Amino acid sequence: MTTVQNLDRLEERQARHTLSVQSLSKSYGEGADAVEVLHELDVRVEPNEVVCIVGPSGAGKTTLLRCLAGLLPPSSGKVMLGDQEMTEPLSEVGVVFQDYSRSLLPWMRTKENVAFPLQGRGMGRSQRMALAEQCLDAVGLPAVGRKYPWQLSGGMQQRAAIARALAYQSEILLMDEPFASVDAQTRFDLEDLVLDLRKRLGISIVVVTHDIDEAVYLADRVVVLSGHPATVVDVVDVPFGMDRDQIDTKADARFTEARRRILNEIRH
Amino acid sequence: MAISEKLSPPKVVPDPKRPSGPARRPDQKRFAGPARRRKIALVMWQLATAVLILLVWTLVYASGYFSPDLVPPFWDVAVRFVGLAVDPVFWAALAATMSSALVGLALSIVVGVPVGMFLGITPAFYRSTQFLIDLGRSFPVIALLPVMVLMLGATREMEVVVVFSGVVWPILLQTIYGARRIDPVIADTVRSYRIPMGLKFFKVVLPNAAPFAVTGIRIAASASILIAVGVEVLSLTPGMGGNLARAQTDGAPALALAYVIYSGLVGLVLNKILWLAEGRFLGWNRRVTGGGQ
Ligand SMILES: Nc1ncnc2c1ncn2[C@@H]1O[C@H](COP(=O)(O)OP(=O)(O)OP(=O)(O)O)[C@@H](O)[C@H]1O
Ligand SMILES: [Mg+2]
């Protein structure tokens, strides 16, 4: 397997909509047992932006992402795509789940998995297979379409899940701890893939992560969640633009500064 | 990208010598040797167990504690066993029993799988019928036998009905379980990619339930032979069980035991065939769960 990516054949799908939550609160449970997990959050994801959401374990990051995806109704407040309120998953938003190994369907070959959401849209077989092929190509998996997901390594499965989100042609990509269980090298490759996708396709990307280095490396803005219930304690702007580099960017003084600031906020 | 590529050791290149077709896991080859040795060891143990059983049997026989009319020596049974294999009466009995069992099994698949799928995807119906299903599966079917014999006589139809009412439950329950037990991550995936209902049913719910339904069918297949033979023994309906019971009352215990052994073998073979078919069509499931028999 090589990591050579071929984004050239993919269409641009320049993000047009801002995805945002407005004083979003979410509680689990009913009545006296209700536990508030998120308290009055305001988060905006502008077109073509990468926003990272960091916070300690159990802070409510997955909860926020599922609200952003339209999978979970907020207890109060709103999720907005442009000026439309989101009450169910929309085709503008694609999701890559934390548990990629369970999110690919084990009874379908990898290419069929990638093409499956397109079938739901009524796209013809040859057309969707061709697009699936291109998307697998784009994430550096040109030769595995006929294999089943369980025949792929963890990193390859994660790429396949990203390819499926790309094939769905959404303009906003939501990723929940996408690289938490791959080795460090694969992780760097996938981070660079994310940056590449943003730059070349013009999509917006939201990444939930535990890893502060990863957040600062990927993001234009880092949203820091903390507390019980979680609130937005800080939004850190990261001024590195579209072109970043695993070594030079991470050695930059501004990188270290942003990292220190976020670490302090999460500890307290 | 550029730098991480420089840092990275050469990536795994697909091996051109590797046969195409279903990819092997790399570990399969490495353990081929020990696996074969384990298999030989297993067969040795099975042989040893068989010899031990025959030994105990012979000791019991030789002790004279039971009359030879109850415990015949195993060589008498072996003679009967071989004799049956060339006896048309036996083959007719086998065909009769098998056809009752398989017709009963087929009916319970035709009823159990669709009803199970329906109940699995409609929680309201499932909740309202759960009580009936729990009652049905705990009901001792053999207790139905006298009533059935009165209603239908000691006939093949009666036998099929009893087999059906015994084996439809595991199929129904397993199918319901499989249709309901969708991984929450898959449920989220299906929802966020806006997969329409019909497509979801055929490409997600159905394949998800299939391994469970097949397990139910395998359980049901073994049970269908047992129930068919049991019904024949009790009601003297023609078939292996009828012949078995008659051999017993006629004072031919070796013949009766030979029939018992054949009944067991038939169940075993049927189970094995289904197991192989399952591996062929639902191989992905065994790979994913790493399951074995
Ligand atoms: N379905 C649910 N019902 C009740 N409580 C839940 C549910 N899902 C999550 N919670 C609770 O909400 C809180 C936040 O969970 P969430 O999964 O959003 O955290 P997270 O930040 O993603 O954690 P991690 O970093 O470990 O993935 C946790 O305390 C959790 O116990
Ligand atoms: Mg989480």
Side-chain angles (χ1 to χ4, degrees):
Chain A
M1 226 226 46
T2 67
T3 54
V4 175
Q5 292 144 17
N6 180 5
L7 298 184
D8 301 339
R9 286 160 68 202
L10 283 191
E11 269 171 64
E12 279 188 31
R13 67 275 314 246
Q14 189 66 52
R16 291 191 179 80
H17 296 96
T18 300
L19 180 65
S20 63
V21 299
Q22 293 170 8
S23 55
L24 171 110
S25 298
K26 178 67 197 176
S27 306
Y28 286 113
E30 301 274 307
D33 295 331
V35 179
E36 192 175 41
V37 174
L38 303 175
H39 182 72
E40 308 222 326
L41 305 190
D42 287 283
V43 176
R44 290 176 71 80
V45 183
E46 305 293 347
N48 204 10
E49 206 178 29
V50 179
V51 171
C52 285
I53 297 165
V54 296
S57 187
K61 303 182 295 294
T62 298
T63 304
L64 172 57
L65 195 95
R66 294 187 74 226
C67 288
L68 283 169
L71 288 168
L72 197 63
S75 304
S76 69
K78 284 189 282 196
V79 182
M80 305 287 291
L81 183 71
D83 43 22
Q84 184 190 359
E85 184 170 354
M86 236 169 126
T87 52
E88 55 165 0
L90 297 176
S91 59
E92 283 85 355
V93 181
V95 188
V96 176
F97 292 94
Q98 181 163 2
D99 233 325
Y100 48 80
S101 61
R102 282 158 61 201
S103 134
L104 296 168
L105 306 175
W107 49 84
M108 281 185 198
R109 293 174 196 281
T110 305
K111 204 200 285 186
E112 290 166 341
N113 257 293
V114 173
F116 185 47
L118 301 171
Q119 188 176 5
R121 274 196 195 156
M123 187 186 281
R125 182 175 170 83
S126 56
Q127 205 186 344
R128 63 176 191 264
M129 284 304 173
L131 184 54
E133 185 82 62
Q134 282 173 26
C135 292
L136 282 169
D137 229 25
V139 298
L141 287 181
V144 305
R146 288 194 51 74
K147 291 194 181 180
Y148 286 94
W150 37 268
Q151 294 175 316
L152 307 181
S153 71
M156 290 159 99
Q157 288 177 25
Q158 188 59 297
R159 283 173 196 268
I162 295 173
R164 179 172 62 186
L166 286 181
Y168 191 57
Q169 294 179 301
S170 42
E171 56 177 73
I172 300 167
L173 207 56
L174 306 180
M175 310 174 100
D176 191 359
E177 307 214 16
F179 317 132
S181 41
V182 296
D183 62 274
Q185 183 55 53
T186 307
R187 187 178 187 123
F188 291 158
D189 289 345
L190 291 172
E191 285 169 8
D192 288 324
L193 171 63
V194 165
L195 290 174
D196 227 25
L197 291 174
R198 182 273 286 267
K199 183 176 166 190
R200 311 267 293 269
L201 301 181
I203 55 182
S204 324
I205 300 176
V206 178
V207 181
V208 161
T209 173
H210 264 120
D211 183 331
I212 295 168
D213 279 32
E214 177 168 279
V216 178
Y217 180 63
L218 290 176
D220 298 308
R221 286 184 303 124
V222 180
V223 174
V224 185
L225 292 186
S226 189
H228 292 285
T231 51
V232 176
V233 293
D234 196 9
V235 178
V236 180
D237 286 305
V238 182
F240 296 121
M242 295 263 182
D243 295 301
R244 303 180 185 207
D245 176 301
Q246 290 283 0
I247 290 180
D248 297 338
T249 306
K250 286 182 177 173
D252 195 298
R254 291 167 297 177
F255 184 96
T256 324
E257 176 49 36
R259 190 172 169 277
R260 190 197 325 275
R261 176 168 152 191
I262 296 168
L263 209 53
N264 272 326
E265 285 161 353
I266 285 183
R267 281 213 192 116
H268 295 143
Chain B
M1 204 67 224
I3 281 186
S4 58
E5 251 166 24
K6 262 180 252 155
L7 285 174
S8 64
K11 295 269 157 45
V12 183
V13 179
D15 180 0
K17 279 173 297 197
R18 192 107 132 250
S20 55
R24 275 196 193 189
R25 297 231 185 117
D27 54 1
Q28 261 177 340
K29 207 171 195 169
R30 210 180 320 142
F31 290 120
R36 158 165 269 148
R37 229 171 295 145
R38 267 205 302 274
K39 183 140 199 186
I40 292 172
L42 180 66
V43 171
M44 298 302 278
W45 277 109
Q46 286 169 335
L47 277 178
T49 311
V51 169
L52 191 71
I53 290 172
L54 292 183
L55 203 68
V56 171
W57 183 344
T58 306
L59 282 176
V60 170
Y61 167 70
S63 75
Y65 187 79
F66 294 105
S67 115
D69 289 342
L70 290 175
V71 181
F74 76 79
W75 46 88
D76 277 7
V77 178
V79 168
R80 290 297 199 164
F81 187 84
V82 175
L84 280 183
V86 293
D87 186 351
V89 173
F90 166 74
W91 288 104
L94 178 66
T97 304
M98 286 294 284
S99 68
S100 307
L102 291 183
V103 170
L105 179 66
L107 281 180
S108 44
I109 294 171
V110 167
V111 172
V113 172
V115 173
M117 286 306 295
F118 174 74
L119 291 177
I121 59 176
T122 49
F125 280 97
Y126 173 65
R127 272 194 298 275
S128 55
T129 52
Q130 198 171 9
F131 168 74
L132 273 178
I133 293 171
D134 285 342
L135 190 70
R137 71 158 162 184
S138 339
F139 197 81
V141 264
I142 291 298
L144 274 180
L145 197 61
V147 183
M148 287 295 167
V149 172
L150 277 181
M151 281 166 59
L152 300 170
T155 57
R156 195 125 317 278
E157 291 74 45
M158 178 277 296
E159 200 180 331
V160 167
V161 169
V162 177
V163 169
F164 170 83
S165 20
V167 304
V168 73
W169 305 105
I171 299 177
L172 184 67
L173 285 161
Q174 285 284 316
T175 309
I176 293 175
Y177 181 71
R180 287 169 64 85
R181 202 197 125 279
I182 299 261
D183 188 306
V185 181
I186 288 185
D188 264 1
T189 304
V190 164
R191 216 147 72 77
S192 72
Y193 285 109
R194 299 164 61 97
I195 305 295
M197 282 253 290
L199 191 61
K200 177 183 168 188
F201 180 80
F202 286 108
K203 291 293 189 78
V204 181
V205 181
L206 210 52
N208 187 70
F212 294 90
V214 169
T215 302
I217 291 172
R218 229 158 16 86
I219 297 168
S222 306
S224 70
I225 305 276
L226 294 185
I227 296 177
V229 171
V231 168
E232 288 165 2
V233 167
L234 292 176
S235 66
L236 293 179
T237 313
M240 304 235 290
N243 291 6
L244 193 167
R246 233 165 281 122
Q248 237 153 17
T249 49
D250 292 354
L255 182 61
L257 273 175
Y259 267 111
V260 169
I261 294 172
Y262 271 114
S263 313
L265 283 180
V266 169
L268 204 66
V269 167
L270 193 59
N271 199 304
K272 191 74 188 172
I273 291 172
L274 286 172
W275 172 253
L276 291 176
E278 184 186 346
R280 177 96 179 67
F281 296 109
L282 296 169
W284 61 264
N285 184 51
R286 250 175 250 167
R287 304 292 193 99
V288 172
T289 55
Q293 195 169 17

